[in-house]
mmCIF file of all heavy atoms in Angstrom:
data_model
loop_
_atom_site.group_PDB
_atom_site.id
_atom_site.type_symbol
_atom_site.label_atom_id
_atom_site.label_comp_id
_atom_site.label_asym_id
_atom_site.label_seq_id
_atom_site.Cartn_x
_atom_site.Cartn_y
_atom_site.Cartn_z
ATOM 1 N N GLY A 1218 15.774 -2.950 -2.022
ATOM 2 C CA GLY A 1218 15.811 -4.067 -1.075
ATOM 3 C C GLY A 1218 15.258 -3.648 0.277
ATOM 4 O O GLY A 1218 14.933 -2.486 0.488
ATOM 5 N N VAL A 1219 15.144 -4.615 1.186
ATOM 6 C CA VAL A 1219 14.556 -4.309 2.491
ATOM 7 C C VAL A 1219 15.331 -3.248 3.263
ATOM 8 O O VAL A 1219 14.777 -2.567 4.110
ATOM 9 C CB VAL A 1219 14.451 -5.555 3.403
ATOM 10 C CG1 VAL A 1219 13.203 -6.331 3.076
ATOM 11 C CG2 VAL A 1219 15.675 -6.416 3.323
ATOM 12 N N THR A 1220 16.605 -3.121 2.977
ATOM 13 C CA THR A 1220 17.379 -2.130 3.696
ATOM 14 C C THR A 1220 17.244 -0.748 3.068
ATOM 15 O O THR A 1220 17.779 0.219 3.588
ATOM 16 C CB THR A 1220 18.869 -2.514 3.695
ATOM 17 O OG1 THR A 1220 19.340 -2.467 2.350
ATOM 18 C CG2 THR A 1220 19.073 -3.915 4.245
ATOM 19 N N GLY A 1221 16.515 -0.667 1.966
ATOM 20 C CA GLY A 1221 16.310 0.614 1.317
ATOM 21 C C GLY A 1221 17.327 0.928 0.235
ATOM 22 O O GLY A 1221 17.283 2.005 -0.348
ATOM 23 N N VAL A 1222 18.234 0.015 -0.049
ATOM 24 C CA VAL A 1222 19.191 0.271 -1.123
ATOM 25 C C VAL A 1222 18.568 -0.052 -2.470
ATOM 26 O O VAL A 1222 17.852 -1.035 -2.612
ATOM 27 C CB VAL A 1222 20.478 -0.588 -1.000
ATOM 28 C CG1 VAL A 1222 21.404 -0.017 0.035
ATOM 29 C CG2 VAL A 1222 20.155 -2.037 -0.733
ATOM 30 N N PRO A 1223 18.842 0.768 -3.478
ATOM 31 C CA PRO A 1223 18.354 0.450 -4.817
ATOM 32 C C PRO A 1223 19.092 -0.766 -5.365
ATOM 33 O O PRO A 1223 20.308 -0.890 -5.177
ATOM 34 C CB PRO A 1223 18.682 1.696 -5.641
ATOM 35 C CG PRO A 1223 19.525 2.566 -4.800
ATOM 36 C CD PRO A 1223 19.569 2.040 -3.418
ATOM 37 N N ILE A 1224 18.368 -1.647 -6.009
ATOM 38 C CA ILE A 1224 18.974 -2.880 -6.516
ATOM 39 C C ILE A 1224 19.008 -2.883 -8.035
ATOM 40 O O ILE A 1224 20.008 -3.219 -8.637
ATOM 41 C CB ILE A 1224 18.182 -4.127 -6.056
ATOM 42 C CG1 ILE A 1224 17.909 -4.088 -4.565
ATOM 43 C CG2 ILE A 1224 18.891 -5.394 -6.486
ATOM 44 C CD1 ILE A 1224 19.002 -4.580 -3.703
ATOM 45 N N LEU A 1225 17.872 -2.532 -8.643
ATOM 46 C CA LEU A 1225 17.844 -2.582 -10.101
ATOM 47 C C LEU A 1225 16.928 -1.533 -10.699
ATOM 48 O O LEU A 1225 15.969 -1.092 -10.067
ATOM 49 C CB LEU A 1225 17.415 -3.975 -10.573
ATOM 50 C CG LEU A 1225 15.981 -4.443 -10.346
ATOM 51 C CD1 LEU A 1225 15.129 -4.188 -11.571
ATOM 52 C CD2 LEU A 1225 15.972 -5.928 -10.041
ATOM 53 N N VAL A 1226 17.267 -1.162 -11.909
ATOM 54 C CA VAL A 1226 16.436 -0.256 -12.696
ATOM 55 C C VAL A 1226 15.875 -1.058 -13.865
ATOM 56 O O VAL A 1226 16.580 -1.878 -14.453
ATOM 57 C CB VAL A 1226 17.264 0.933 -13.235
ATOM 58 C CG1 VAL A 1226 16.494 1.710 -14.293
ATOM 59 C CG2 VAL A 1226 17.667 1.854 -12.105
ATOM 60 N N ASP A 1227 14.608 -0.858 -14.136
ATOM 61 C CA ASP A 1227 13.945 -1.578 -15.216
ATOM 62 C C ASP A 1227 13.273 -0.556 -16.129
ATOM 63 O O ASP A 1227 12.543 0.315 -15.669
ATOM 64 C CB ASP A 1227 12.895 -2.526 -14.605
ATOM 65 C CG ASP A 1227 12.115 -3.300 -15.658
ATOM 66 O OD1 ASP A 1227 12.162 -2.943 -16.846
ATOM 67 O OD2 ASP A 1227 11.453 -4.285 -15.282
ATOM 68 N N SER A 1228 13.546 -0.655 -17.410
ATOM 69 C CA SER A 1228 12.872 0.198 -18.380
ATOM 70 C C SER A 1228 12.281 -0.716 -19.434
ATOM 71 O O SER A 1228 13.000 -1.281 -20.250
ATOM 72 C CB SER A 1228 13.896 1.164 -18.980
ATOM 73 O OG SER A 1228 13.302 1.917 -20.003
ATOM 74 N N SER A 1229 10.977 -0.886 -19.384
ATOM 75 C CA SER A 1229 10.346 -1.880 -20.257
ATOM 76 C C SER A 1229 9.277 -1.274 -21.145
ATOM 77 O O SER A 1229 8.623 -0.309 -20.774
ATOM 78 C CB SER A 1229 9.687 -2.984 -19.416
ATOM 79 O OG SER A 1229 10.645 -3.705 -18.703
ATOM 80 N N PHE A 1230 9.107 -1.879 -22.315
ATOM 81 C CA PHE A 1230 8.065 -1.458 -23.240
ATOM 82 C C PHE A 1230 7.082 -2.595 -23.436
ATOM 83 O O PHE A 1230 7.461 -3.674 -23.896
ATOM 84 C CB PHE A 1230 8.682 -1.046 -24.583
ATOM 85 C CG PHE A 1230 9.610 0.139 -24.443
ATOM 86 C CD1 PHE A 1230 10.957 -0.043 -24.201
ATOM 87 C CD2 PHE A 1230 9.099 1.432 -24.504
ATOM 88 C CE1 PHE A 1230 11.807 1.047 -24.045
ATOM 89 C CE2 PHE A 1230 9.942 2.522 -24.341
ATOM 90 C CZ PHE A 1230 11.295 2.333 -24.106
ATOM 91 N N TYR A 1231 5.844 -2.344 -23.057
ATOM 92 C CA TYR A 1231 4.800 -3.359 -23.181
ATOM 93 C C TYR A 1231 3.894 -3.010 -24.344
ATOM 94 O O TYR A 1231 3.561 -1.834 -24.545
ATOM 95 C CB TYR A 1231 3.933 -3.401 -21.916
ATOM 96 C CG TYR A 1231 4.640 -3.932 -20.700
ATOM 97 C CD1 TYR A 1231 5.524 -3.141 -19.977
ATOM 98 C CD2 TYR A 1231 4.422 -5.237 -20.265
ATOM 99 C CE1 TYR A 1231 6.179 -3.629 -18.857
ATOM 100 C CE2 TYR A 1231 5.071 -5.732 -19.138
ATOM 101 C CZ TYR A 1231 5.945 -4.920 -18.442
ATOM 102 O OH TYR A 1231 6.588 -5.414 -17.342
ATOM 103 N N ARG A 1232 3.448 -4.017 -25.083
ATOM 104 C CA ARG A 1232 2.468 -3.711 -26.121
ATOM 105 C C ARG A 1232 1.147 -3.401 -25.435
ATOM 106 O O ARG A 1232 0.669 -4.138 -24.570
ATOM 107 C CB ARG A 1232 2.331 -4.851 -27.117
ATOM 108 C CG ARG A 1232 2.162 -6.214 -26.500
ATOM 109 C CD ARG A 1232 2.345 -7.285 -27.523
ATOM 110 N NE ARG A 1232 1.223 -7.250 -28.466
ATOM 111 C CZ ARG A 1232 1.046 -8.174 -29.385
ATOM 112 N NH1 ARG A 1232 1.912 -9.166 -29.510
ATOM 113 N NH2 ARG A 1232 0.027 -8.095 -30.204
ATOM 114 N N ALA A 1233 0.542 -2.302 -25.832
ATOM 115 C CA ALA A 1233 -0.628 -1.805 -25.114
ATOM 116 C C ALA A 1233 -1.898 -2.545 -25.509
ATOM 117 O O ALA A 1233 -2.886 -2.519 -24.788
ATOM 118 C CB ALA A 1233 -0.794 -0.313 -25.361
ATOM 119 N N ASP A 1234 -1.858 -3.236 -26.631
ATOM 120 C CA ASP A 1234 -3.087 -3.929 -27.041
ATOM 121 C C ASP A 1234 -3.335 -5.189 -26.223
ATOM 122 O O ASP A 1234 -4.449 -5.694 -26.170
ATOM 123 C CB ASP A 1234 -3.026 -4.274 -28.537
ATOM 124 C CG ASP A 1234 -1.812 -5.131 -28.889
ATOM 125 O OD1 ASP A 1234 -0.822 -5.103 -28.130
ATOM 126 O OD2 ASP A 1234 -1.854 -5.828 -29.912
ATOM 127 N N LYS A 1235 -2.283 -5.690 -25.574
ATOM 128 C CA LYS A 1235 -2.450 -6.954 -24.857
ATOM 129 C C LYS A 1235 -2.122 -6.853 -23.367
ATOM 130 O O LYS A 1235 -2.185 -7.842 -22.648
ATOM 131 C CB LYS A 1235 -1.492 -8.011 -25.462
ATOM 132 C CG LYS A 1235 -1.723 -8.324 -26.907
ATOM 133 C CD LYS A 1235 -2.683 -9.481 -27.084
ATOM 134 C CE LYS A 1235 -2.845 -9.771 -28.574
ATOM 135 N NZ LYS A 1235 -3.697 -10.944 -28.798
ATOM 136 N N TYR A 1236 -1.700 -5.693 -22.928
ATOM 137 C CA TYR A 1236 -1.239 -5.624 -21.554
ATOM 138 C C TYR A 1236 -1.777 -4.374 -20.881
ATOM 139 O O TYR A 1236 -1.811 -3.310 -21.485
ATOM 140 C CB TYR A 1236 0.296 -5.581 -21.518
ATOM 141 C CG TYR A 1236 0.893 -6.264 -20.311
ATOM 142 C CD1 TYR A 1236 1.101 -7.643 -20.305
ATOM 143 C CD2 TYR A 1236 1.239 -5.549 -19.175
ATOM 144 C CE1 TYR A 1236 1.640 -8.287 -19.212
ATOM 145 C CE2 TYR A 1236 1.784 -6.185 -18.064
ATOM 146 C CZ TYR A 1236 1.984 -7.551 -18.093
ATOM 147 O OH TYR A 1236 2.518 -8.180 -16.995
ATOM 148 N N LYS A 1237 -2.233 -4.544 -19.638
ATOM 149 C CA LYS A 1237 -2.641 -3.358 -18.887
ATOM 150 C C LYS A 1237 -2.142 -3.484 -17.458
ATOM 151 O O LYS A 1237 -1.824 -4.577 -16.993
ATOM 152 C CB LYS A 1237 -4.155 -3.178 -18.935
ATOM 153 C CG LYS A 1237 -4.943 -4.281 -18.273
ATOM 154 C CD LYS A 1237 -6.424 -4.057 -18.481
ATOM 155 C CE LYS A 1237 -7.212 -5.268 -18.009
ATOM 156 N NZ LYS A 1237 -8.630 -5.189 -18.391
ATOM 157 N N PHE A 1238 -2.086 -2.352 -16.784
ATOM 158 C CA PHE A 1238 -1.556 -2.343 -15.424
ATOM 159 C C PHE A 1238 -2.655 -2.091 -14.416
ATOM 160 O O PHE A 1238 -3.524 -1.249 -14.637
ATOM 161 C CB PHE A 1238 -0.468 -1.280 -15.289
ATOM 162 C CG PHE A 1238 0.781 -1.679 -15.988
ATOM 163 C CD1 PHE A 1238 0.956 -1.418 -17.341
ATOM 164 C CD2 PHE A 1238 1.769 -2.377 -15.307
ATOM 165 C CE1 PHE A 1238 2.101 -1.849 -18.002
ATOM 166 C CE2 PHE A 1238 2.908 -2.795 -15.960
ATOM 167 C CZ PHE A 1238 3.071 -2.526 -17.314
ATOM 168 N N GLN A 1239 -2.592 -2.822 -13.342
ATOM 169 C CA GLN A 1239 -3.576 -2.649 -12.275
ATOM 170 C C GLN A 1239 -2.889 -2.149 -11.021
ATOM 171 O O GLN A 1239 -1.804 -2.602 -10.682
ATOM 172 C CB GLN A 1239 -4.255 -3.986 -11.955
ATOM 173 C CG GLN A 1239 -5.076 -4.525 -13.095
ATOM 174 C CD GLN A 1239 -5.890 -5.727 -12.681
ATOM 175 O OE1 GLN A 1239 -5.561 -6.403 -11.713
ATOM 176 N NE2 GLN A 1239 -6.969 -5.983 -13.409
ATOM 177 N N THR A 1240 -3.527 -1.243 -10.356
ATOM 178 C CA THR A 1240 -3.006 -0.741 -9.085
ATOM 179 C C THR A 1240 -4.159 -0.515 -8.138
ATOM 180 O O THR A 1240 -5.283 -0.300 -8.570
ATOM 181 C CB THR A 1240 -2.355 0.651 -9.238
ATOM 182 O OG1 THR A 1240 -1.750 0.752 -10.486
ATOM 183 C CG2 THR A 1240 -1.351 0.893 -8.130
ATOM 184 N N THR A 1241 -3.849 -0.516 -6.887
ATOM 185 C CA THR A 1241 -4.816 -0.081 -5.886
ATOM 186 C C THR A 1241 -4.194 1.088 -5.150
ATOM 187 O O THR A 1241 -3.078 0.988 -4.657
ATOM 188 C CB THR A 1241 -5.138 -1.222 -4.906
ATOM 189 O OG1 THR A 1241 -5.703 -2.292 -5.629
ATOM 190 C CG2 THR A 1241 -6.121 -0.736 -3.848
ATOM 191 N N TYR A 1242 -4.922 2.187 -5.130
ATOM 192 C CA TYR A 1242 -4.472 3.333 -4.354
ATOM 193 C C TYR A 1242 -5.277 3.414 -3.071
ATOM 194 O O TYR A 1242 -6.492 3.224 -3.082
ATOM 195 C CB TYR A 1242 -4.687 4.632 -5.141
ATOM 196 C CG TYR A 1242 -3.791 4.779 -6.338
ATOM 197 C CD1 TYR A 1242 -4.249 4.480 -7.610
ATOM 198 C CD2 TYR A 1242 -2.487 5.220 -6.190
ATOM 199 C CE1 TYR A 1242 -3.423 4.623 -8.721
ATOM 200 C CE2 TYR A 1242 -1.660 5.369 -7.288
ATOM 201 C CZ TYR A 1242 -2.136 5.073 -8.556
ATOM 202 O OH TYR A 1242 -1.321 5.221 -9.636
ATOM 203 N N ILE A 1243 -4.597 3.663 -1.985
ATOM 204 C CA ILE A 1243 -5.274 3.787 -0.694
ATOM 205 C C ILE A 1243 -5.330 5.269 -0.316
ATOM 206 O O ILE A 1243 -4.333 5.973 -0.430
ATOM 207 C CB ILE A 1243 -4.505 3.030 0.412
ATOM 208 C CG1 ILE A 1243 -4.199 1.592 -0.008
ATOM 209 C CG2 ILE A 1243 -5.277 3.078 1.731
ATOM 210 C CD1 ILE A 1243 -5.352 0.648 0.068
#
Side-chain angles (χ1 to χ4, degrees):
Chain A
V1219 277
T1220 65
V1222 282
I1224 311 276
L1225 69 95
V1226 168
D1227 178 346
S1228 175
S1229 295
F1230 298 91
Y1231 291 78
R1232 48 193 291 188
D1234 57 337
K1235 299 269 181 176
Y1236 213 84
K1237 64 185 171 189
F1238 288 86
Q1239 295 188 337
T1240 326
T1241 299
Y1242 291 99
I1243 309 283

